[in-house]
Amino acid sequence: DSGVTQTPKHLITATGQRVTLRCSPRSGDLSVYWYQQSLDQGLQFLIQYYNGEERAKGNILERFSAQQFPDLHSELNLSSLELGDSALYFCASSVGVGLAGGNEQFFGPGTRLTVL
Amino acid sequence: GNSVTQMEGPVTLSEEAFLTINCTYTATGYPSLFWYVQYPGEGLQLLLKATKADDKGSNKGFEATYRKETTSFHLEKGSVQVSDSAVYFCALTPSGSNYKLTFGKGTLLTVNP
């Protein structure tokens, strides 16, 4: 158990809908990262927050947004869903802002999103 | 841009066999290199890492050496166990940017008793 929790575990929805994925980082971790894992694209970095502020953006679609709240949990919002958004979405957390000096990212178990 | 290429799986081995999973990368400068493991139904766990050329990362009997000249970071284990069955991901963070992990496609390893 990494200490990172994600809810829900599974989500099934229809095209055009909007969903919210939730992540609680390990106690004491200030940084949260979101990744998407799909069969065709593999594992891709989406976005990072540190202590409530956005720090880095990767291959995140405009239909997707995220935020980190004062209690440090994070939510990833996916809207106008398409079939191709079906994937496993991982959240990871770390103490600081990056990986320098061994600042490891700890991954949650993921949320499996199925868009029908 | 930055990229990681792993050998395609799946890889099926018998217990106590020798394991090699090849990984090569493309990046400018001196990236940090990682191997992550994903057991069935779980998130990713860091297996080992190397942050500069010629560094050897090791953990749980697994090893990988950062080879700048061949831009490679191959994963090896001398004697695999059934419990090593998992998906293995090679990843990098480019120099000067120490937060974003770029992953390979992953290699599924199955070890039979």
Side-chain angles (χ1 to χ4, degrees):
Chain A
D1 185 351
S2 67
V4 178
T5 60
Q6 290 187 247
T7 56
K9 217 174 159 69
H10 301 278
L11 201 46
I12 300 174
T13 187
T15 54
Q17 295 299 304
R18 173 189 168 95
V19 297
T20 297
L21 313 184
R22 183 188 168 103
C23 167
S24 292
R26 290 187 325 154
S27 177
D29 283 359
L30 299 178
S31 225
V32 168
Y33 311 76
W34 286 97
Y35 292 86
Q36 180 194 57
Q37 184 179 30
S38 61
L39 280 175
D40 52 344
Q41 298 291 326
L43 255 169
Q44 292 198 85
F45 169 74
L46 295 178
I47 197 163
Q48 180 206 3
Y49 279 82
Y50 176 75
N51 206 19
E53 294 192 2
E54 182 184 304
R55 286 298 297 255
K57 249 182 177 175
N59 301 321
I60 187 165
L61 299 172
E62 284 193 15
R63 301 183 285 107
F64 296 2
S65 65
Q67 55 184 325
Q68 187 180 27
F69 294 86
D71 67 352
L72 301 176
H73 90 272
S74 177
E75 292 181 356
L76 179 66
N77 300 297
L78 315 177
S79 61
S80 303
L81 285 167
E82 302 175 0
L83 296 177
D85 297 328
S86 295
L88 198 48
Y89 291 85
F90 285 109
C91 168
S93 72
S94 66
V95 172
V97 296
L99 297 168
N103 187 9
E104 178 183 344
Q105 291 185 27
F106 293 85
F107 281 77
T111 293
R112 182 168 294 283
L113 173 66
T114 302
V115 182
L116 301 175
Chain B
N2 303 310
S3 66
V4 175
T5 303
Q6 287 180 238
M7 65 185 283
E8 299 250 343
V11 173
T12 303
L13 295 173
S14 298
E15 209 163 23
E16 298 183 6
F18 184 85
L19 168 70
T20 299
I21 301 178
N22 289 337
C23 170
T24 57
Y25 67 88
T26 301
T28 53
Y30 295 87
S32 294
L33 302 174
F34 305 84
W35 276 100
Y36 279 81
V37 58
Q38 184 178 24
Y39 297 103
E42 296 183 17
L44 280 76
Q45 300 173 29
L46 179 63
L47 183 58
L48 52 84
K49 66 181 182 189
T51 57
K52 60 183 190 294
D54 299 326
D55 264 4
K56 179 187 278 189
S58 60
N59 185 26
K60 299 181 183 178
F62 291 90
E63 292 183 342
T65 301
Y66 188 143
R67 301 284 187 206
K68 179 78 175 157
E69 63 277 11
T70 53
T71 62
S72 65
F73 193 55
H74 304 322
L75 182 68
E76 296 182 336
K77 186 174 185 183
S79 176
V80 293
Q81 306 300 312
V82 171
S83 57
D84 294 327
S85 298
V87 180
Y88 292 81
F89 292 90
C90 186
L92 68 81
T93 56
S95 54
S97 166
N98 57 5
Y99 45 79
K100 174 189 162 183
L101 284 161
T102 296
F103 287 93
K105 295 268 188 190
T107 302
L108 173 62
L109 169 66
T110 301
V111 180
N112 296 318

